[in-house]
Amino acid sequence: MADAVVACRDVVQIYASERGTVQALRGVDVDAHAGSVTAVVGPSGSGKSSLLRLLAAIDVPAAGEVTLTGRSLGELSGRRRRRLRRRAVGFVSQRPADNLEPGVPLRRQLRAAARFRQAELAAADELLEELGLSTRAGHRPGELSGGEQQRAALARALIGGPALLVADEPTAELDRTATVDVCASLRRLAADRGLAVVVATHDAAVLAAADRVLHLRDGAVQSATLAGEQRAVIDGAGRVQLPPEVVAWFPNQRVRLEVDPETRTVRIWPS
């Protein structure tokens, strides 16, 4: 946990709704490390947005712990948490238009972000150059393509040198060419700047660019894919998430266990 830029341990998140209390996350453990891209996937209602809001220090968990650059969010006042978020987190929303001021040229927007985050104004031009937008610096967002807008959103999010970049389905409204460009930018930024990148997505191109893929279902991490190999996840309480087709083998939700300490294997079968 200490080596991670952001980490969750046994996190629970609960929201009140018109239909009652909703448990959006239940016992989630997640780490994101510098220089890596972590993709989060799952069906609607699986808890992706709730998890991203916690990782980005927008919300605090109902239970469990979230640490960001070594600071526990639950121990911070709202003011200190906002200050930490401003310093340590860059956030990119799904819709390109939501990330930028519509009538303001890119360079002016990035320089305003630099002043807000007490960064050097030269950082704006450096990021525009790094993301291939130097020739578009005087243009307003409406004069850019969708892919250019999202790369501009990445530039704005990275002003001030945050340790964590959180992106919520950043390629959902892009064509294939623009998606490839944004994926390449995410990989390059993670490697060159030592960023921890966490991105919620359904896009196969983003999944292919990720170092690790976390599969969420019903508010819990069902499995993780590392180097193309899908692995089950054991959370901090010892719970294992089984794929839905395997859960069907246990209709009464009771199992018998056989544990062999010598071979360190566990067998389960219906009770």
Side-chain angles (χ1 to χ4, degrees), residues 107-171:
R107 181 179 285 113
R108 190 185 302 173
Q109 292 200 44
L110 266 64
R111 288 185 173 182
R115 285 190 289 269
F116 177 71
R117 295 175 183 166
Q118 300 180 335
E120 296 290 334
L121 293 183
D125 291 331
E126 291 171 3
L127 279 162
L128 289 170
E129 175 72 27
E130 185 174 351
L131 288 161
L133 294 167
S134 291
T135 61
R136 312 294 276 167
H139 289 69
R140 295 171 175 80
E143 300 169 326
L144 307 178
S145 69
E148 288 172 334
Q149 288 183 43
Q150 282 300 61
R151 281 186 282 133
L154 290 175
R156 182 174 177 177
L158 293 176
I159 288 287
L164 172 67
L165 176 66
V166 177
D168 188 2
E169 302 203 36
T171 63

Short mmCIF file of all heavy atoms in Angstrom, two decimals, residues 107-171:
data_model
loop_
_atom_site.label_atom_id
_atom_site.label_comp_id
_atom_site.label_asym_id
_atom_site.label_seq_id
_atom_site.Cartn_x
_atom_site.Cartn_y
_atom_site.Cartn_z
N ARG A 107 -4.37 27.62 -25.05
CA ARG A 107 -3.24 28.12 -24.27
C ARG A 107 -3.72 28.94 -23.08
O ARG A 107 -3.18 28.82 -21.97
CB ARG A 107 -2.32 28.96 -25.15
CG ARG A 107 -1.09 29.49 -24.37
CD ARG A 107 -0.15 30.30 -25.22
NE ARG A 107 0.64 29.44 -26.10
CZ ARG A 107 0.53 29.43 -27.43
NH1 ARG A 107 -0.35 30.24 -28.02
NH2 ARG A 107 1.28 28.66 -28.16
N ARG A 108 -4.75 29.75 -23.27
CA ARG A 108 -5.26 30.55 -22.17
C ARG A 108 -5.86 29.66 -21.08
O ARG A 108 -5.69 29.92 -19.89
CB ARG A 108 -6.32 31.53 -22.68
CG ARG A 108 -6.73 32.58 -21.64
CD ARG A 108 -7.86 33.45 -22.13
NE ARG A 108 -7.50 34.14 -23.38
CZ ARG A 108 -8.37 34.85 -24.08
NH1 ARG A 108 -9.63 34.96 -23.67
NH2 ARG A 108 -7.98 35.46 -25.19
N GLN A 109 -6.55 28.60 -21.48
CA GLN A 109 -7.13 27.68 -20.50
C GLN A 109 -6.04 27.01 -19.67
O GLN A 109 -6.15 26.88 -18.45
CB GLN A 109 -7.97 26.61 -21.20
CG GLN A 109 -9.22 27.13 -21.85
CD GLN A 109 -10.23 26.04 -22.09
OE1 GLN A 109 -10.47 25.20 -21.23
NE2 GLN A 109 -10.85 26.05 -23.27
N LEU A 110 -5.00 26.53 -20.35
CA LEU A 110 -3.94 25.83 -19.64
C LEU A 110 -3.16 26.76 -18.73
O LEU A 110 -2.75 26.39 -17.62
CB LEU A 110 -3.01 25.12 -20.62
CG LEU A 110 -3.36 23.65 -20.91
CD1 LEU A 110 -4.72 23.55 -21.59
CD2 LEU A 110 -2.30 22.98 -21.75
N ARG A 111 -2.97 28.01 -19.16
CA ARG A 111 -2.26 28.96 -18.31
C ARG A 111 -3.10 29.34 -17.09
O ARG A 111 -2.56 29.55 -15.99
CB ARG A 111 -1.88 30.19 -19.12
CG ARG A 111 -0.75 29.90 -20.11
CD ARG A 111 -0.27 31.14 -20.84
NE ARG A 111 0.91 30.84 -21.64
CZ ARG A 111 1.57 31.73 -22.37
NH1 ARG A 111 1.16 33.01 -22.38
NH2 ARG A 111 2.63 31.38 -23.07
N ALA A 112 -4.41 29.42 -17.27
CA ALA A 112 -5.29 29.67 -16.11
C ALA A 112 -5.20 28.52 -15.12
O ALA A 112 -5.16 28.72 -13.90
CB ALA A 112 -6.72 29.87 -16.59
N ALA A 113 -5.17 27.27 -15.65
CA ALA A 113 -5.02 26.10 -14.77
C ALA A 113 -3.68 26.13 -14.06
O ALA A 113 -3.58 25.76 -12.88
CB ALA A 113 -5.17 24.82 -15.59
N ALA A 114 -2.63 26.59 -14.74
CA ALA A 114 -1.30 26.67 -14.12
C ALA A 114 -1.31 27.67 -12.97
O ALA A 114 -0.75 27.42 -11.90
CB ALA A 114 -0.27 27.06 -15.17
N ARG A 115 -1.96 28.81 -13.16
CA ARG A 115 -2.03 29.80 -12.08
C ARG A 115 -2.82 29.24 -10.89
O ARG A 115 -2.44 29.43 -9.73
CB ARG A 115 -2.66 31.10 -12.59
CG ARG A 115 -1.72 31.93 -13.46
CD ARG A 115 -2.31 33.30 -13.74
NE ARG A 115 -3.45 33.21 -14.66
CZ ARG A 115 -3.35 33.30 -15.97
NH1 ARG A 115 -2.16 33.48 -16.54
NH2 ARG A 115 -4.42 33.23 -16.73
N PHE A 116 -3.91 28.54 -11.19
CA PHE A 116 -4.75 27.98 -10.13
C PHE A 116 -3.97 26.96 -9.31
O PHE A 116 -4.12 26.89 -8.08
CB PHE A 116 -5.98 27.33 -10.75
CG PHE A 116 -6.89 26.65 -9.76
CD1 PHE A 116 -7.65 27.38 -8.86
CD2 PHE A 116 -6.98 25.26 -9.73
CE1 PHE A 116 -8.48 26.75 -7.95
CE2 PHE A 116 -7.82 24.63 -8.83
CZ PHE A 116 -8.56 25.37 -7.94
N ARG A 117 -3.12 26.17 -9.98
CA ARG A 117 -2.36 25.13 -9.29
C ARG A 117 -0.96 25.57 -8.91
O ARG A 117 -0.14 24.76 -8.52
CB ARG A 117 -2.31 23.88 -10.16
CG ARG A 117 -3.68 23.25 -10.36
CD ARG A 117 -3.63 22.10 -11.32
NE ARG A 117 -4.98 21.56 -11.56
CZ ARG A 117 -5.29 20.73 -12.54
NH1 ARG A 117 -4.35 20.33 -13.40
NH2 ARG A 117 -6.52 20.30 -12.70
N GLN A 118 -0.71 26.87 -9.06
CA GLN A 118 0.58 27.45 -8.68
C GLN A 118 1.74 26.76 -9.40
O GLN A 118 2.78 26.45 -8.81
CB GLN A 118 0.77 27.39 -7.16
CG GLN A 118 -0.31 28.16 -6.40
CD GLN A 118 -0.12 28.11 -4.90
OE1 GLN A 118 0.48 27.21 -4.36
NE2 GLN A 118 -0.67 29.11 -4.22
N ALA A 119 1.53 26.52 -10.70
CA ALA A 119 2.55 25.91 -11.54
C ALA A 119 3.14 26.98 -12.47
O ALA A 119 2.58 28.05 -12.65
CB ALA A 119 1.96 24.78 -12.37
N GLU A 120 4.28 26.66 -13.06
CA GLU A 120 4.91 27.56 -14.01
C GLU A 120 4.04 27.69 -15.26
O GLU A 120 3.51 26.69 -15.77
CB GLU A 120 6.29 27.04 -14.41
CG GLU A 120 7.30 26.98 -13.27
CD GLU A 120 7.73 28.37 -12.82
OE1 GLU A 120 7.65 29.31 -13.64
OE2 GLU A 120 8.13 28.51 -11.65
N LEU A 121 3.90 28.91 -15.78
CA LEU A 121 3.09 29.11 -16.98
C LEU A 121 3.69 28.38 -18.17
O LEU A 121 2.97 27.95 -19.08
CB LEU A 121 2.98 30.61 -17.29
CG LEU A 121 2.19 31.46 -16.29
CD1 LEU A 121 2.11 32.90 -16.78
CD2 LEU A 121 0.79 30.90 -16.06
N ALA A 122 5.01 28.19 -18.17
CA ALA A 122 5.65 27.48 -19.27
C ALA A 122 5.17 26.04 -19.37
O ALA A 122 5.28 25.42 -20.44
CB ALA A 122 7.17 27.50 -19.08
N ALA A 123 4.62 25.49 -18.28
CA ALA A 123 4.12 24.12 -18.32
C ALA A 123 3.00 23.96 -19.33
O ALA A 123 2.83 22.89 -19.92
CB ALA A 123 3.64 23.70 -16.93
N ALA A 124 2.23 25.03 -19.55
CA ALA A 124 1.14 24.96 -20.53
C ALA A 124 1.67 24.68 -21.92
O ALA A 124 1.20 23.77 -22.62
CB ALA A 124 0.34 26.27 -20.51
N ASP A 125 2.68 25.44 -22.34
CA ASP A 125 3.25 25.25 -23.67
C ASP A 125 3.96 23.91 -23.78
O ASP A 125 3.92 23.25 -24.83
CB ASP A 125 4.22 26.39 -24.00
CG ASP A 125 3.50 27.72 -24.19
OD1 ASP A 125 2.33 27.70 -24.62
OD2 ASP A 125 4.09 28.76 -23.89
N GLU A 126 4.59 23.47 -22.70
CA GLU A 126 5.28 22.17 -22.72
C GLU A 126 4.30 21.03 -22.94
O GLU A 126 4.56 20.10 -23.72
CB GLU A 126 6.04 21.97 -21.42
CG GLU A 126 7.24 22.90 -21.25
CD GLU A 126 7.83 22.83 -19.86
OE1 GLU A 126 7.35 22.01 -19.05
OE2 GLU A 126 8.78 23.59 -19.58
N LEU A 127 3.15 21.09 -22.26
CA LEU A 127 2.16 20.03 -22.41
C LEU A 127 1.50 20.07 -23.78
O LEU A 127 1.21 19.02 -24.38
CB LEU A 127 1.11 20.13 -21.30
CG LEU A 127 1.55 19.54 -19.96
CD1 LEU A 127 0.67 20.04 -18.83
CD2 LEU A 127 1.51 18.01 -20.02
N LEU A 128 1.24 21.25 -24.30
CA LEU A 128 0.68 21.36 -25.65
C LEU A 128 1.64 20.74 -26.67
O LEU A 128 1.22 20.02 -27.59
CB LEU A 128 0.39 22.81 -25.99
CG LEU A 128 -0.79 23.45 -25.25
CD1 LEU A 128 -0.82 24.95 -25.49
CD2 LEU A 128 -2.11 22.81 -25.68
N GLU A 129 2.93 20.98 -26.49
CA GLU A 129 3.94 20.40 -27.37
C GLU A 129 3.97 18.88 -27.22
O GLU A 129 3.99 18.12 -28.20
CB GLU A 129 5.31 20.99 -27.04
CG GLU A 129 6.47 20.38 -27.81
CD GLU A 129 6.49 20.78 -29.27
OE1 GLU A 129 5.97 21.87 -29.59
OE2 GLU A 129 7.03 20.00 -30.08
N GLU A 130 3.97 18.42 -25.97
CA GLU A 130 4.07 16.99 -25.68
C GLU A 130 2.89 16.20 -26.26
O GLU A 130 3.04 15.07 -26.71
CB GLU A 130 4.14 16.77 -24.17
CG GLU A 130 4.37 15.32 -23.76
CD GLU A 130 4.58 15.18 -22.27
OE1 GLU A 130 4.74 16.22 -21.57
OE2 GLU A 130 4.60 14.04 -21.78
N LEU A 131 1.71 16.82 -26.28
CA LEU A 131 0.52 16.13 -26.76
C LEU A 131 0.15 16.52 -28.19
O LEU A 131 -0.96 16.25 -28.65
CB LEU A 131 -0.65 16.41 -25.82
CG LEU A 131 -0.52 15.69 -24.47
CD1 LEU A 131 -1.41 16.31 -23.42
CD2 LEU A 131 -0.84 14.21 -24.63
N GLY A 132 1.10 17.11 -28.90
CA GLY A 132 0.90 17.39 -30.32
C GLY A 132 -0.14 18.45 -30.62
O GLY A 132 -0.80 18.39 -31.66
N LEU A 133 -0.26 19.44 -29.74
CA LEU A 133 -1.30 20.46 -29.90
C LEU A 133 -0.74 21.88 -30.03
O LEU A 133 -1.50 22.85 -29.95
CB LEU A 133 -2.26 20.41 -28.69
CG LEU A 133 -3.10 19.14 -28.56
CD1 LEU A 133 -3.75 19.10 -27.19
CD2 LEU A 133 -4.16 19.07 -29.65
N SER A 134 0.55 22.01 -30.26
CA SER A 134 1.16 23.34 -30.33
C SER A 134 0.52 24.20 -31.41
O SER A 134 0.28 25.40 -31.20
CB SER A 134 2.66 23.22 -30.58
OG SER A 134 3.31 22.69 -29.45
N THR A 135 0.23 23.59 -32.56
CA THR A 135 -0.34 24.38 -33.65
C THR A 135 -1.81 24.71 -33.42
O THR A 135 -2.40 25.49 -34.18
CB THR A 135 -0.20 23.62 -34.98
OG1 THR A 135 -0.90 22.36 -34.89
CG2 THR A 135 1.27 23.35 -35.30
N ARG A 136 -2.40 24.12 -32.38
CA ARG A 136 -3.82 24.36 -32.08
C ARG A 136 -3.99 25.19 -30.82
O ARG A 136 -5.11 25.38 -30.35
CB ARG A 136 -4.55 23.01 -31.89
CG ARG A 136 -4.27 21.98 -32.96
CD ARG A 136 -4.82 22.41 -34.30
NE ARG A 136 -6.23 22.06 -34.41
CZ ARG A 136 -7.03 22.52 -35.37
NH1 ARG A 136 -6.56 23.37 -36.27
NH2 ARG A 136 -8.30 22.15 -35.42
N ALA A 137 -2.89 25.71 -30.29
CA ALA A 137 -2.93 26.40 -29.00
C ALA A 137 -3.83 27.62 -29.00
O ALA A 137 -4.43 27.97 -27.97
CB ALA A 137 -1.52 26.80 -28.58
N GLY A 138 -3.97 28.29 -30.14
CA GLY A 138 -4.82 29.47 -30.20
C GLY A 138 -6.26 29.18 -30.56
O GLY A 138 -7.07 30.11 -30.68
N HIS A 139 -6.60 27.91 -30.71
CA HIS A 139 -7.95 27.53 -31.11
C HIS A 139 -8.84 27.29 -29.89
O HIS A 139 -8.38 26.87 -28.83
CB HIS A 139 -7.93 26.26 -31.96
CG HIS A 139 -7.35 26.47 -33.33
ND1 HIS A 139 -6.02 26.74 -33.54
CD2 HIS A 139 -7.93 26.44 -34.56
CE1 HIS A 139 -5.79 26.87 -34.84
NE2 HIS A 139 -6.93 26.69 -35.48
N ARG A 140 -10.14 27.51 -30.08
CA ARG A 140 -11.14 27.20 -29.05
C ARG A 140 -11.54 25.74 -29.20
O ARG A 140 -11.40 25.15 -30.28
CB ARG A 140 -12.34 28.12 -29.19
CG ARG A 140 -12.02 29.58 -28.91
CD ARG A 140 -13.17 30.49 -29.26
NE ARG A 140 -12.91 31.88 -28.88
CZ ARG A 140 -12.17 32.72 -29.58
NH1 ARG A 140 -11.65 32.32 -30.75
NH2 ARG A 140 -11.95 33.95 -29.16
N PRO A 141 -12.07 25.11 -28.12
CA PRO A 141 -12.43 23.70 -28.19
C PRO A 141 -13.35 23.33 -29.36
O PRO A 141 -13.19 22.28 -29.97
CB PRO A 141 -13.11 23.45 -26.84
CG PRO A 141 -12.44 24.42 -25.93
CD PRO A 141 -12.21 25.65 -26.76
N GLY A 142 -14.30 24.20 -29.68
CA GLY A 142 -15.22 23.90 -30.76
C GLY A 142 -14.57 23.85 -32.13
O GLY A 142 -15.16 23.34 -33.09
N GLU A 143 -13.34 24.33 -32.23
CA GLU A 143 -12.61 24.30 -33.48
C GLU A 143 -11.70 23.08 -33.59
O GLU A 143 -10.97 22.93 -34.56
CB GLU A 143 -11.77 25.58 -33.62
CG GLU A 143 -12.61 26.85 -33.62
CD GLU A 143 -11.78 28.11 -33.50
OE1 GLU A 143 -10.74 28.08 -32.81
OE2 GLU A 143 -12.19 29.13 -34.10
N LEU A 144 -11.77 22.20 -32.58
CA LEU A 144 -10.92 21.01 -32.54
C LEU A 144 -11.74 19.76 -32.80
O LEU A 144 -12.95 19.72 -32.55
CB LEU A 144 -10.25 20.89 -31.17
CG LEU A 144 -9.46 22.10 -30.66
CD1 LEU A 144 -8.93 21.81 -29.27
CD2 LEU A 144 -8.33 22.45 -31.61
N SER A 145 -11.07 18.70 -33.24
CA SER A 145 -11.72 17.40 -33.35
C SER A 145 -11.92 16.82 -31.95
O SER A 145 -11.35 17.30 -30.97
CB SER A 145 -10.85 16.45 -34.19
OG SER A 145 -9.66 16.12 -33.47
N GLY A 146 -12.73 15.75 -31.86
CA GLY A 146 -12.96 15.11 -30.56
C GLY A 146 -11.67 14.60 -29.94
O GLY A 146 -11.44 14.73 -28.73
N GLY A 147 -10.81 13.98 -30.77
CA GLY A 147 -9.55 13.48 -30.25
C GLY A 147 -8.65 14.59 -29.76
O GLY A 147 -7.99 14.47 -28.72
N GLU A 148 -8.61 15.71 -30.49
CA GLU A 148 -7.82 16.86 -30.05
C GLU A 148 -8.36 17.43 -28.76
O GLU A 148 -7.60 17.83 -27.87
CB GLU A 148 -7.80 17.93 -31.15
CG GLU A 148 -6.95 17.55 -32.36
CD GLU A 148 -7.11 18.53 -33.50
OE1 GLU A 148 -8.18 19.20 -33.59
OE2 GLU A 148 -6.18 18.63 -34.32
N GLN A 149 -9.68 17.46 -28.63
CA GLN A 149 -10.27 17.95 -27.38
C GLN A 149 -9.86 17.08 -26.20
O GLN A 149 -9.55 17.60 -25.11
CB GLN A 149 -11.79 18.00 -27.51
CG GLN A 149 -12.31 19.11 -28.41
CD GLN A 149 -13.82 19.15 -28.42
OE1 GLN A 149 -14.47 19.03 -27.39
NE2 GLN A 149 -14.39 19.33 -29.61
N GLN A 150 -9.87 15.77 -26.38
CA GLN A 150 -9.51 14.91 -25.26
C GLN A 150 -8.02 15.00 -24.94
O GLN A 150 -7.63 14.93 -23.77
CB GLN A 150 -9.90 13.45 -25.53
CG GLN A 150 -11.39 13.15 -25.33
CD GLN A 150 -11.88 13.44 -23.92
OE1 GLN A 150 -11.82 14.58 -23.45
NE2 GLN A 150 -12.40 12.43 -23.26
N ARG A 151 -7.18 15.16 -25.94
CA ARG A 151 -5.76 15.37 -25.65
C ARG A 151 -5.55 16.71 -24.96
O ARG A 151 -4.69 16.84 -24.06
CB ARG A 151 -4.93 15.27 -26.93
CG ARG A 151 -4.70 13.82 -27.36
CD ARG A 151 -3.77 13.71 -28.54
NE ARG A 151 -4.45 14.03 -29.79
CZ ARG A 151 -3.98 14.84 -30.72
NH1 ARG A 151 -2.82 15.45 -30.54
NH2 ARG A 151 -4.65 15.05 -31.83
N ALA A 152 -6.34 17.72 -25.34
CA ALA A 152 -6.28 19.00 -24.63
C ALA A 152 -6.75 18.84 -23.19
O ALA A 152 -6.20 19.46 -22.27
CB ALA A 152 -7.14 20.03 -25.36
N ALA A 153 -7.77 18.00 -22.97
CA ALA A 153 -8.24 17.74 -21.61
C ALA A 153 -7.15 17.06 -20.78
O ALA A 153 -6.98 17.36 -19.59
CB ALA A 153 -9.50 16.87 -21.65
N LEU A 154 -6.41 16.14 -21.41
CA LEU A 154 -5.29 15.51 -20.72
C LEU A 154 -4.25 16.56 -20.33
O LEU A 154 -3.73 16.56 -19.21
CB LEU A 154 -4.64 14.45 -21.60
CG LEU A 154 -5.44 13.17 -21.86
CD1 LEU A 154 -4.70 12.28 -22.86
CD2 LEU A 154 -5.68 12.41 -20.56
N ALA A 155 -3.95 17.46 -21.26
CA ALA A 155 -2.98 18.51 -20.97
C ALA A 155 -3.42 19.36 -19.79
O ALA A 155 -2.63 19.65 -18.88
CB ALA A 155 -2.77 19.37 -22.22
N ARG A 156 -4.68 19.76 -19.80
CA ARG A 156 -5.18 20.59 -18.70
C ARG A 156 -5.15 19.83 -17.37
O ARG A 156 -4.80 20.40 -16.33
CB ARG A 156 -6.61 21.04 -19.01
CG ARG A 156 -7.20 21.96 -17.96
CD ARG A 156 -8.55 22.50 -18.38
NE ARG A 156 -9.13 23.32 -17.33
CZ ARG A 156 -10.29 23.96 -17.44
NH1 ARG A 156 -10.97 23.93 -18.57
NH2 ARG A 156 -10.75 24.68 -16.44
N ALA A 157 -5.48 18.55 -17.41
CA ALA A 157 -5.48 17.74 -16.19
C ALA A 157 -4.09 17.57 -15.61
O ALA A 157 -3.93 17.36 -14.41
CB ALA A 157 -6.11 16.38 -16.47
N LEU A 158 -3.06 17.65 -16.47
CA LEU A 158 -1.70 17.37 -16.02
C LEU A 158 -0.92 18.61 -15.62
O LEU A 158 0.23 18.50 -15.20
CB LEU A 158 -0.95 16.63 -17.13
CG LEU A 158 -1.49 15.22 -17.43
CD1 LEU A 158 -0.75 14.61 -18.60
CD2 LEU A 158 -1.37 14.34 -16.20
N ILE A 159 -1.52 19.78 -15.76
CA ILE A 159 -0.88 21.01 -15.28
C ILE A 159 -0.60 20.88 -13.78
O ILE A 159 -1.46 20.46 -13.01
CB ILE A 159 -1.78 22.23 -15.55
CG1 ILE A 159 -1.81 22.56 -17.04
CG2 ILE A 159 -1.31 23.43 -14.75
CD1 ILE A 159 -0.55 23.17 -17.58
N GLY A 160 0.60 21.20 -13.38
CA GLY A 160 0.95 21.11 -11.97
C GLY A 160 1.59 19.80 -11.57
O GLY A 160 1.99 19.63 -10.42
N GLY A 161 1.68 18.85 -12.52
CA GLY A 161 2.37 17.59 -12.25
C GLY A 161 1.72 16.69 -11.23
O GLY A 161 2.36 16.26 -10.27
N PRO A 162 0.42 16.36 -11.39
CA PRO A 162 -0.22 15.44 -10.44
C PRO A 162 0.41 14.05 -10.50
O PRO A 162 1.00 13.67 -11.51
CB PRO A 162 -1.68 15.41 -10.92
CG PRO A 162 -1.59 15.71 -12.38
CD PRO A 162 -0.49 16.71 -12.51
N ALA A 163 0.27 13.30 -9.42
CA ALA A 163 0.79 11.93 -9.38
C ALA A 163 -0.20 10.93 -9.97
O ALA A 163 0.19 9.84 -10.38
CB ALA A 163 1.11 11.55 -7.93
N LEU A 164 -1.48 11.30 -10.01
CA LEU A 164 -2.54 10.40 -10.44
C LEU A 164 -3.40 11.06 -11.50
O LEU A 164 -3.80 12.22 -11.35
CB LEU A 164 -3.42 10.03 -9.24
CG LEU A 164 -4.71 9.23 -9.52
CD1 LEU A 164 -4.37 7.82 -10.02
CD2 LEU A 164 -5.58 9.16 -8.28
N LEU A 165 -3.66 10.32 -12.58
CA LEU A 165 -4.60 10.75 -13.60
C LEU A 165 -5.77 9.79 -13.62
O LEU A 165 -5.58 8.57 -13.78
CB LEU A 165 -3.93 10.78 -14.98
CG LEU A 165 -4.85 11.12 -16.16
CD1 LEU A 165 -5.34 12.57 -16.06
CD2 LEU A 165 -4.14 10.89 -17.49
N VAL A 166 -6.98 10.29 -13.43
CA VAL A 166 -8.20 9.49 -13.44
C VAL A 166 -9.03 9.91 -14.64
O VAL A 166 -9.31 11.10 -14.82
CB VAL A 166 -9.00 9.67 -12.13
CG1 VAL A 166 -10.30 8.89 -12.19
CG2 VAL A 166 -8.18 9.23 -10.93
N ALA A 167 -9.41 8.95 -15.46
CA ALA A 167 -10.18 9.26 -16.67
C ALA A 167 -11.41 8.36 -16.73
O ALA A 167 -11.31 7.14 -16.59
CB ALA A 167 -9.31 9.04 -17.91
N ASP A 168 -12.57 8.98 -16.93
CA ASP A 168 -13.84 8.26 -16.96
C ASP A 168 -14.28 8.07 -18.41
O ASP A 168 -14.82 8.98 -19.03
CB ASP A 168 -14.90 9.05 -16.17
CG ASP A 168 -16.19 8.26 -15.99
OD1 ASP A 168 -16.26 7.10 -16.44
OD2 ASP A 168 -17.13 8.81 -15.39
N GLU A 169 -14.01 6.89 -18.95
CA GLU A 169 -14.37 6.53 -20.33
C GLU A 169 -13.98 7.63 -21.33
O GLU A 169 -14.82 8.15 -22.06
CB GLU A 169 -15.86 6.20 -20.42
CG GLU A 169 -16.27 5.09 -19.48
CD GLU A 169 -17.55 4.38 -19.91
OE1 GLU A 169 -17.77 4.21 -21.11
OE2 GLU A 169 -18.31 3.99 -19.01
N PRO A 170 -12.71 7.98 -21.38
CA PRO A 170 -12.28 9.12 -22.20
C PRO A 170 -12.39 8.91 -23.70
O PRO A 170 -12.28 9.87 -24.46
CB PRO A 170 -10.82 9.31 -21.77
CG PRO A 170 -10.38 7.95 -21.36
CD PRO A 170 -11.58 7.34 -20.69
N THR A 171 -12.57 7.66 -24.14
CA THR A 171 -12.65 7.40 -25.59
C THR A 171 -14.07 7.06 -26.04
O THR A 171 -14.27 6.71 -27.20
CB THR A 171 -11.72 6.24 -25.98
OG1 THR A 171 -12.15 5.04 -25.33
CG2 THR A 171 -10.28 6.54 -25.59
#
